Amino acid sequence: MPPLSPPDAQQFRAALGMFATGVTIVTARAADGSLVGLTANSFNSVSLSPPLVLWSLARSAGSMPVFSQGSHYAINILAADQKELAQRFATRNIDRFAGVAWREGAGGAPVLDGVAAVFECANRSQYEEGDHVIFVGEVESCAARPGSQPLIFHGGRYYTELPL
Ligand SMILES: Cc1cc2nc3c(=O)[nH]c(=O)nc-3n(C[C@H](O)[C@H](O)[C@H](O)COP(=O)(O)O)c2cc1C
């Protein structure tokens, strides 16, 4: 199928932007010990038993070789006070982990300090679709910080929750 033409592509983006999401940073440790991580809002739950989650990564992402070949990754769910971290992990040509506090999770994947929740995942399966690859992770361990407020992304802007 050909790519969408400009008005349709714009409409597609605008419609997607109406689906408010949380914001994650997905991290992994490369075989050479270096760390990779990127901001991703394509996260979602898949299955309770077994516990499965998914996220998708652009084929063009620099971190694709590490995620596609690695055994584990950590999905860090950002808290409302971590907007700068979200922006930093979407910025190219910087040391994203400079000054960032983290601990080693399953398979060496960095679990970031101060996150609202984390899912430590085994890299279970991958599905190539269009210009992205869908990653399904098997959750080996997860934790939520009680009382923390999530960072929310909607229509290109960041928010925090406002209960109705
Ligand atoms: C809020 C937000 C959500 C994003 N979600 C995704 C996503 O789900 N998948 C993706 O591949 N890129 C996503 N990006 C873009 C990546 O963070 C960005 O392209 C990053 O530079 C990719 O890193 P890499 O090339 O080092 O792998 C998102 C960016 C922002 C700001």
Side-chain angles (χ1 to χ4, degrees):
M1 215 166 105
L4 293 174
S5 56
D8 291 345
Q10 228 169 351
Q11 209 167 354
F12 184 48
R13 280 178 177 277
L16 289 175
M18 286 299 166
F19 184 61
T21 66
V23 184
T24 80
I25 293 177
V26 190
T27 58
R29 182 182 282 281
D32 68 0
S34 61
L35 303 179
V36 298
L38 79 149
T39 301
N41 70 338
S42 53
F43 171 78
N44 221 319
S45 55
V46 174
S47 160
L48 284 176
S49 183
L52 305 177
V53 294
L54 68 75
W55 62 288
S56 61
L57 181 63
R59 279 176 193 268
S60 57
S63 55
M64 180 59 85
V66 175
F67 284 112
S68 59
Q69 290 155 32
S71 68
H72 288 79
Y73 45 78
I75 303 175
N76 296 270
I77 311 295
L78 298 189
D81 60 359
Q82 294 182 310
K83 185 181 95 170
E84 284 72 26
L85 221 48
Q87 291 170 327
R88 176 204 280 238
F89 276 79
T91 303
R92 286 236 157 102
N93 302 318
I94 58 162
D95 177 0
R96 293 176 181 171
F97 285 90
V100 175
W102 54 274
R103 69 166 174 85
E104 192 152 303
V111 175
L112 307 183
D113 277 12
V115 292
V118 64
F119 298 89
E120 296 174 45
C121 301
N123 192 356
R124 177 180 167 113
S125 55
Q126 298 167 32
Y127 304 89
E128 295 187 7
E129 282 297 348
D131 55 12
H132 278 61
V133 176
I134 301 163
F135 285 79
V136 175
E138 183 156 2
V139 180
E140 292 189 347
S141 161
C142 67
R145 194 157 54 89
S148 57
Q149 293 191 319
L151 184 63
I152 294 168
F153 189 71
H154 154 59
R157 292 193 62 188
Y158 294 93
Y159 296 82
T160 189
E161 62 187 350
L162 183 63
L164 291 174

